[in-house]
Amino acid sequence: MIAIVSLVLIALLGVSSAELEVPGTLIREKPSGLSIVGLAEVIPPTCDGVNYYSTCYDCNQILVCSGKLPSTQQNCRVNSPTKPYCSAGICSATPACPPEPLSCTDAGKFPDPYNCTQYHYCEAAGEDSSVYACPPKYVYNADTGLCKLQVYVADCMTAKCDPTKGFGTYGTSKTFFAICTYDDKGVLSSVDMAKCPNNTLFDTVNGSGCKFTCPKDGNFANPMDPTFASYYLCYTSGVTKVASLQKCAEGKAFDVSAGLCTAAAYATTTPAPAPAA
């Protein structure tokens, strides 16, 4: 029996990760409007002022009722990151509420900040996402936009916020990062996901945002400049790839197709699509 299991494992290891990846299943479609039921569901519970008990204030917070004493709230996302959901008055790893959509920062697929078995599809920035779930024993792979079989604990990536940094990390990813919002008391209130533009990588050490990185030698559009008034000159110095920020002359814009600055009225400023993952 041991020999058979070993052969099966060897066979699986010989299959590329892409062949083991599958799409998820839609579990919550992007809302088309706000219903009366939806309004009723967001009314939070209150304590009765007599009994001692805990209940769910919302999908992620516990309401602790202490008789005649003031009630308190505990945020599971902050106090217990591995159990970020409130279920039956305690923090749990299993969500008891319907999956929450993301507030989209751009169009495309985005990982869920808390649940590595779910991901989101956004049609446009500013809208709510549609939520997808991976099959059992699968986790979302943000690099490919598909669900992969979980082999290691580290395969399950989630967002991590740090109030001392501008942005939070998403696992080890240098493409996706977290936008962490805190209330006036410094308590984490929401987490949105964002993606670095082409030719940039997220600064996972300092959490300071997306930094340009040269794909090769040549001239490249500055992805952080929507006016295309600047560009990066990339060249190799010894073993180091250097990115030098350059500015176009007044009245000119960086032409992506030509790789140089041309008259702004005639410049082609539409970047080429990113290569397939």
Side-chain angles (χ1 to χ4, degrees):
M1 178 62 71
I2 295 177
I4 294 176
V5 172
S6 299
L7 288 174
V8 171
L9 290 174
I10 292 173
L12 287 175
L13 290 174
V15 179
S16 68
S17 59
E19 292 175 326
L20 294 175
E21 296 189 351
V22 296
T25 303
L26 178 66
I27 57 175
R28 177 166 180 166
E29 192 168 7
K30 184 192 77 167
S32 56
L34 186 62
S35 66
I36 300 298
V37 174
L39 285 172
E41 290 175 347
V42 300
I43 299 176
T46 56
C47 295
D48 62 11
V50 177
N51 296 297
Y52 295 82
Y53 60 94
S54 63
T55 185
C56 289
Y57 182 79
D58 56 28
C59 293
N60 304 99
Q61 296 187 89
I62 298 174
L63 176 66
V64 180
C65 299
S66 304
K68 295 181 180 181
L69 297 176
S71 63
T72 59
Q73 293 180 25
Q74 299 177 6
N75 191 314
C76 292
R77 288 177 173 174
V78 176
N79 299 332
S80 182
T82 59
K83 296 180 179 180
Y85 309 104
C86 182
S87 177
I90 62 173
C91 294
S92 171
T94 305
C97 297
E100 296 182 25
L102 283 181
S103 178
C104 297
T105 55
D106 204 346
K109 291 181 180 180
F110 292 85
D112 189 278
Y114 306 107
N115 191 335
C116 63
T117 67
Q118 295 179 0
Y119 64 95
H120 301 258
Y121 177 73
C122 292
E123 294 183 6
E127 297 184 356
D128 283 345
S129 67
S130 295
V131 188
Y132 288 77
C134 293
K137 299 183 180 181
Y138 279 71
V139 295
Y140 183 61
N141 182 358
D143 290 334
T144 62
L146 294 170
C147 300
K148 69 177 182 179
L149 188 67
Q150 183 176 4
V151 179
Y152 305 103
V153 174
D155 290 338
C156 178
M157 297 202 307
T158 55
K160 182 178 180 181
C161 293
D162 184 340
T164 66
K165 298 180 179 180
F167 301 98
T169 57
Y170 171 69
T172 58
S173 176
K174 290 190 175 183
T175 300
F176 292 92
F177 61 97
I179 300 177
C180 306
T181 304
Y182 300 85
D183 62 18
D184 55 0
K185 296 180 181 179
V187 177
L188 183 67
S189 58
S190 67
V191 179
D192 295 313
M193 299 302 299
K195 182 180 181 180
C196 287
N198 292 343
N199 295 333
T200 66
L201 295 176
F202 179 68
D203 182 357
T204 57
V205 176
N206 301 308
S208 56
C210 302
K211 307 296 183 181
F212 181 84
T213 178
C214 290
K216 58 182 180 180
D217 289 353
N219 294 332
F220 298 90
N222 179 2
M224 276 74 77
D225 182 359
T227 67
F228 286 84
S230 61
Y231 66 97
Y232 278 97
L233 166 63
C234 293
Y235 62 93
T236 302
S237 176
V239 295
T240 303
K241 188 75 71 175
V242 179
S244 176
L245 184 62
Q246 306 289 317
K247 289 186 177 181
C248 293
E250 186 175 352
K252 292 190 175 183
F254 183 73
D255 190 313
V256 175
S257 298
L260 46 80
C261 297
T262 59
Y266 302 100
T268 304
T269 56
T270 303

